[in-house]
């Protein structure tokens, strides 16, 4: 503060005290209350006094039949898990009456990452769960992630079997072989397409490592998760693979391979997925950036796995597409834009055994 020679010493001291009091002046009660409320009402704020107590899973936790609700919940859970210090106390499974393996796998992946990043145990009481849901999630390995004791009595009447999830970081042929062997233990060794499954999954693992995550792939949770389920009554096998990395539309936006797509950033995500699939299916001699002739055929091989008796569904970002192959012709059976994004990529194969 500049000295004013026209003021007496006493007047100048009064002015200095007045300025000091102004700087330390308290906010009005209404303003202070409003600021506190804005912090405490945001459960994702590190300074929040309000702890997000639990997440309630919906009655129908199915990516296909209840898409918006399922993805909205996964977005909520992902936001929490992605924090440096994730805060959550409980996952409530009490209301679930229906769940499909792909939705369960996404949940398993987020719980796996939660355990890597957080020392806090998520509370969940399986005694109040529906018997069928309890059995399926126990089979998939979710009980271990929640640190729950194994089931002593299985009272499920469900004819569906979930296989325990497998996860990895790189192109691991042994993991694909392990899944194939697990499937064979449930349905026998009569699966004619097992060679396509083995080769295609190995390629899909490699693609995830190269494209979905950053080049260093250094984080413990930069990996993929895979599982399978078999419904005895319908003789239907479902194989699901999920990663939390960059989505297919995102990688297409930045990959020079797709330069010929005019204004591709304005193209719908489901359309981008369809274009990628059709291009891979038609171009049998596709080469990736590795320049190896045996690479880049993963999508084609995985389509071969469902040829003439199944479908392939890809969900990535806001794109949802299902495909069938009949008589060497690829058909898009369902295509839609999603309300909520899937932050990663889910690939699901359904075949009639």
């Amino acid at each position: 503060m500049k000295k004013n020679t026209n003021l007496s010493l006493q007047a100048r001291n009064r002015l200095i005290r007045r300025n000091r009091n102004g700087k330390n002046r308290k906010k009005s009660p209404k303003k202070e209350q409003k600021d506190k409320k804005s912090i405490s009402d945001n459960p994702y704020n590190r300074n929040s006094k309000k702890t997000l107590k639990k997440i309630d899973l919906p009655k129908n936790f199915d990516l296909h039949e209840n898409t918006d609700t399922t993805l909205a919940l996964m977005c909520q859970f992902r936001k929490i898990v992605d924090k440096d210090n994730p805060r959550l106390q409980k996952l409530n499974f009490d209301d679930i009456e229906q769940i499909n393996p792909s939705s369960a796998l996404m949940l398993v992946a987020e719980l796996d990452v939660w355990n890597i990043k957080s020392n806090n145990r998520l509370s969940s009481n399986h005694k109040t769960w529906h018997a069928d849901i309890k059995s399926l999630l126990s089979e998939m390995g979710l009980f271990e992630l929640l640190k729950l004791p194994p089931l002593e009595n299985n009272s499920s009447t469900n004819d569906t079997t979930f296989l325990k999830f497998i996860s990895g970081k790189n192109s691991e042929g042994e993991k694909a072989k392990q899944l194939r062997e697990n499937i064979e233990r449930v349905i026998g060794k009569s699966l004619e397409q097992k060679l396509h499954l083995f080769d295609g999954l190995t390629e899909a693992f490699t693609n995830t490592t190269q494209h979905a995550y950053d080049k260093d792939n250094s984080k413990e949770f930069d990996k993929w998760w895979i599982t399978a389920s078999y419904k005895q009554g319908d003789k239907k096998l479902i194989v699901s693979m999920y990663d939390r990395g960059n989505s297919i539309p995102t990688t297409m936006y930045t990959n020079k391979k797709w330069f010929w797509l005019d204004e591709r950033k304005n193209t719908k995500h489901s359309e981008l997925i369809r274009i990628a699939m059709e291009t891979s299916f038609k171009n049998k001699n596709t080469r990736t950036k590795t320049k190896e002739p045996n690479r880049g055929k993963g999508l084609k091989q995985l389509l071969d796995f469902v040829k003439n008796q199944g479908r392939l569904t890809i969900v990535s970002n806001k794109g949802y597409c299902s495909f069938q192959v009949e008589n060497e012709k690829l058909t898009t059976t369902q295509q839609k834009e999603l309300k909520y994004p899937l932050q990663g990529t889910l690939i699901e194969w359904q075949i009639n055994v």
Side-chain angles (χ1 to χ4, degrees):
M1 181 178 172
K2 293 182 180 181
K3 185 183 281 188
N4 192 333
T5 54
N6 295 326
L7 295 176
S8 65
L9 179 61
Q10 187 176 10
R12 276 192 280 111
N13 288 339
R14 282 200 301 270
L15 186 59
I16 291 170
R17 286 196 297 271
R18 191 180 304 132
N19 277 278
R20 285 176 179 171
N21 289 337
K23 290 180 180 179
N24 299 325
R25 188 176 298 156
K26 293 183 178 180
K27 296 179 181 178
S28 66
K30 287 185 178 180
K31 175 68 174 173
E32 190 173 3
Q33 187 176 4
K34 183 178 179 181
D35 290 346
K36 285 182 178 180
K37 190 174 187 301
S38 64
I39 294 175
S40 62
D41 282 355
N42 182 1
Y44 307 119
N45 192 314
R46 287 186 181 181
N47 298 320
S48 173
K49 295 181 180 179
K50 179 179 178 180
T51 302
L52 189 61
K53 298 288 185 182
K54 65 177 181 177
I55 288 180
D56 296 313
L57 281 83
K59 181 178 180 179
N60 185 7
F61 191 51
D62 192 310
L63 181 62
H64 307 298
E65 295 184 6
N66 195 16
T67 308
D68 287 347
T69 302
T70 299
L71 287 179
L73 183 138
M74 291 310 304
C75 284
Q76 182 187 15
F77 196 13
R78 177 73 181 260
K79 282 182 181 178
I80 299 169
V81 175
D82 280 348
K83 296 288 183 181
D84 293 333
N85 183 24
R87 300 172 63 184
L88 184 65
Q89 289 185 357
K90 182 178 181 180
L91 285 176
N92 180 20
F93 294 79
D94 293 355
D95 296 333
I96 298 185
E97 295 181 4
Q98 181 175 334
I99 189 168
N100 77 319
S102 294
S103 303
L105 182 66
M106 292 191 299
L107 189 63
V108 159
E110 297 306 324
L111 282 171
D112 195 13
V113 176
W114 169 277
N115 287 338
I116 294 171
K117 297 183 66 174
S118 175
N119 294 323
N120 299 322
R121 174 184 172 183
L122 282 176
S123 172
S124 192
N125 181 11
H126 69 77
K127 294 180 180 180
T128 56
W129 299 5
H130 190 281
D132 289 346
I133 300 301
K134 187 189 305 185
S135 174
L136 293 173
L137 294 180
S138 175
E139 291 171 351
M140 185 174 276
L142 185 134
F143 273 40
E144 295 176 23
L145 294 175
L146 287 173
K147 300 177 177 61
L148 295 174
L151 287 180
E152 295 180 0
N153 298 314
N154 190 348
S155 58
S156 172
T157 59
N158 203 332
D159 69 342
T160 301
T161 301
F162 278 12
L163 301 185
K164 187 175 181 180
F165 79 92
I166 300 170
S167 64
K169 288 178 66 70
N170 301 308
S171 176
E172 303 178 47
E174 285 299 316
K175 295 292 180 71
K177 182 180 178 182
Q178 181 183 347
L179 178 70
R180 191 187 72 189
E181 290 174 349
N182 291 345
I183 292 173
E184 289 176 345
R185 277 195 289 269
V186 175
I187 67 174
K189 297 186 177 182
S190 60
L191 187 63
E192 296 177 0
Q193 302 94 332
K194 61 185 178 182
L195 181 61
H196 295 305
L197 173 63
F198 181 82
D199 293 340
L201 285 178
T202 304
E203 179 74 15
F205 297 159
T206 303
N207 287 341
T208 298
T209 303
Q210 288 186 345
H211 303 296
Y213 296 110
D214 295 333
K215 291 183 180 180
D216 59 358
N217 196 24
S218 58
K219 296 178 182 177
E220 292 181 78
F221 44 84
D222 285 354
K223 55 183 183 178
W224 44 259
W225 293 260
I226 194 165
T227 189
S229 74
Y230 179 62
K231 191 168 184 178
Q232 182 69 37
D234 297 338
K235 303 293 183 185
K236 182 180 292 184
L237 173 69
I238 296 177
V239 179
S240 306
M241 179 179 171
Y242 173 66
D243 71 72
R244 303 172 80 252
N246 297 322
S247 66
I248 291 175
T250 299
T251 56
M252 290 180 73
Y253 289 156
T254 57
N255 194 328
K256 293 180 180 179
K257 174 183 175 181
W258 303 103
F259 70 92
W260 51 272
L261 286 171
D262 294 333
E263 299 179 353
R264 59 189 181 277
K265 290 191 177 182
N266 296 323
T267 306
K268 291 182 177 180
H269 290 178
S270 60
E271 186 67 10
L272 289 171
I273 294 172
R274 184 191 64 79
I275 291 170
M277 182 60 69
E278 290 183 350
T279 302
S280 178
F281 184 75
K282 292 176 182 178
N283 188 358
K284 295 182 179 180
N285 297 318
T286 300
R287 289 171 180 254
T288 62
K289 64 182 180 182
T290 62
K291 306 301 181 183
E292 298 175 18
N294 64 325
R295 298 303 318 282
K297 301 177 183 178
L299 293 177
K300 174 66 169 61
Q301 290 168 332
L302 291 172
L303 280 167
D304 286 342
F305 178 52
V306 299
K307 185 165 59 177
N308 296 327
Q309 53 185 346
R311 75 179 186 193
L312 169 66
T313 300
I314 297 178
V315 185
S316 191
N317 211 317
K318 289 191 174 183
Y320 181 112
C321 281
S322 292
F323 306 92
Q324 286 183 336
V325 178
E326 299 286 344
N327 300 320
E328 300 299 329
K329 182 181 178 181
L330 177 67
T331 303
T332 304
T333 58
Q334 188 176 8
Q335 180 177 340
K336 62 181 179 180
E337 288 296 295
L338 303 174
K339 183 177 180 181
Y340 302 99
L342 175 64
Q343 296 169 302
T345 298
L346 178 92
I347 305 175
E348 179 188 284
W349 304 269
Q350 280 195 31
I351 69 165
N352 300 317
V353 179

